[in-house]
């Protein structure tokens, strides 16, 4: 298979010639998925069999990464293997799946995690999917895989609700979540605003810097025509583009403040930035409620800012980099414009903070 693999890599590289891309990945199946389609007639156990497949697939994984591409590990087996063993309990299936995860990690052992992304799905066939194993029952197994990015089905009617799983389960340190925001289960073209809503759900739970838009699974022949697939990709791009992440963060902070939670803004927070409106940073104003709580406001016009005049209570603090900070009594996080405050990273050492 080495010659066929080399040919695939060369063809892919040639196809990318003259095309502007941020990064390129090639998919390869997991040992567990390959095991589905083979029969063990030689090895003493199923575990020995899947590890032998892993050792063979290591050559393909390594070749993809050595060629300069990201390696996408496709693992429909991890969720969908549940359908093949209806007699298993969830606990028994988790033991079965854990062996396949460890075999995969054995194959990935010398490959940097940041060159690997994992895709899992529930088989992606057009059917009821009523008996799919819940994401909650296997999410920790998914996160055991030696990968930096994790792609999951998140837009189809059976699994869209599972964004709530991330209210309970945290991403591994440094990981990126790739929820499917468009899918193959229907030829309907998702509206970009729906795409944006789906992305925001995850961004609020795992952090916007840890979310990337994706598809539920390969679209290809699963939709009615190639033009439908391209239209879905376009909707995905348009839905991600207009998101005002700063507005989302400002609203989140405002919610905390409104609930009486004390908020502290530190240099680290300013480096992460509070909005995409970095060009408007020089005219942004920071307003803080000093009486027992702190709030950060969106960028305001001078006229709107003038309405927040000092009332003489508390002690205002200011920083040359972010403009004046005035004590305000009973202040509220009303949105005066669509541009949210961004404290430039260069002002991190001067960032005012309140405890």
């Amino acid at each position: 298979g080495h010659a066929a693999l080399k040919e695939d890599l060369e063809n892919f590289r040639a196809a990318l010639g003259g095309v502007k891309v941020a990064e390129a990945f090639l998919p390869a199946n997991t040992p567990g998925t390959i095991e589905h389609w083979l029969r063990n007639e030689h090895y003493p156990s199923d575990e020995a069999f899947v590890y032998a497949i892993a050792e063979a697939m290591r050559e393909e994984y390594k070749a993809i990464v050595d060629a300069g591409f990201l390696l996408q590990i496709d693992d429909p087996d991890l969720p969908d293997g549940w359908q093949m063993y209806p007699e298993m309990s969830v606990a028994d299936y988790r033991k079965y799946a854990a062996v396949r995860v460890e075999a995969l990690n054995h194959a990935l052992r010398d490959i940097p995690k940041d060159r690997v992304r994992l895709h899992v799905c529930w088989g992606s066939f057009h059917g009821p999917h009523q008996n799919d194993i819940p994401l909650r029952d296997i999410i920790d197994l998914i996160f055991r895989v030696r990968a930096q990015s994790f792609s999951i089905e998140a837009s189809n009617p059976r699994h869209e609700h599972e964004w709530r799983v991330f209210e309970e389960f945290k991403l591994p340190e440094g990981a990126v979540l790739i929820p499917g925001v468009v899918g193959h289960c229907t030829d309907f073209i998702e509206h970009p605003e729906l795409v944006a809503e789906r992305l925001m759900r995850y961004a609020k739970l795992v952090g916007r810097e840890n979310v990337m838009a994706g598809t539920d699974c390969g679209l290809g022949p699963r939709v009615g025509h190639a033009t439908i697939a391209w239209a879905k990709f376009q909707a995905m791009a348009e839905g991600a583009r207009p998101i005002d992440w700063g507005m989302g963060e400002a609203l989140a902070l405002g919610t905390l403040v409104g609930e009486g939670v004390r908020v502290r803004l530190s240099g680290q927070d300013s480096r992460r930035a509070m909005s995409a409106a970095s060009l408007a940073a020089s005219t942004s104003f920071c307003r803080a409620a000093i009486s027992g709580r702190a709030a950060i406001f969106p960028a305001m016009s001078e006229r709107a800012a003038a309405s927040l005049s000092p009332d003489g209570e508390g002690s205002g603090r200011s920083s040359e980099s972010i403009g004046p900070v005035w004590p305000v009594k009973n202040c509220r996080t009303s949105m005066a414009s669509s541009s949210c405050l961004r404290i430039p990273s260069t002002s991190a050492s001067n960032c005012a903070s309140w405890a």
Side-chain angles (χ1 to χ4, degrees), residues 155-171:
S155 70
N156 67 63
R158 188 66 190 179
H159 295 284
E160 183 174 4
H161 71 286
E162 291 182 313
W163 61 271
R164 291 189 176 277
V165 168
F166 297 93
E167 293 176 335
E168 180 180 344
F169 292 89
K170 304 302 180 184
L171 283 177

Side-chain angles (χ1 to χ4, degrees), residues 86-99:
E87 74 283 357
M88 283 189 179
S89 65
V90 171
D92 289 339
Y93 182 73
R94 283 177 53 83
K95 293 177 182 177
Y96 165 91
V99 171

Side-chain angles (χ1 to χ4, degrees), residues 228-246:
I228 296 174
W230 285 112
K232 285 176 175 283
F233 286 135
Q234 183 178 356
M236 182 173 69
E238 291 178 1
R241 189 175 298 119
I243 294 176
D244 188 339
W245 296 106

Side-chain angles (χ1 to χ4, degrees), residues 37-104:
W37 309 105
L38 301 176
R39 179 178 298 177
N40 178 17
E41 297 178 345
H42 172 72
Y43 294 90
S45 67
D46 288 344
E47 182 173 347
F49 181 40
V50 76
Y51 267 83
I53 298 172
E55 195 62 37
M57 288 303 296
R58 180 172 177 270
E59 296 292 322
E60 182 170 326
Y61 301 162
K62 190 172 184 300
I64 291 172
V65 174
D66 288 347
F69 304 123
L70 288 179
L71 168 64
Q72 175 166 301
I73 298 293
D74 284 344
D75 195 5
D77 166 72
L78 186 50
D80 194 45
W82 167 256
Q83 306 276 11
M84 298 180 65
Y85 302 100
E87 74 283 357
M88 283 189 179
S89 65
V90 171
D92 289 339
Y93 182 73
R94 283 177 53 83
K95 293 177 182 177
Y96 165 91
V99 171
R100 275 82 193 154
V101 168
E102 291 308 312
L104 173 59

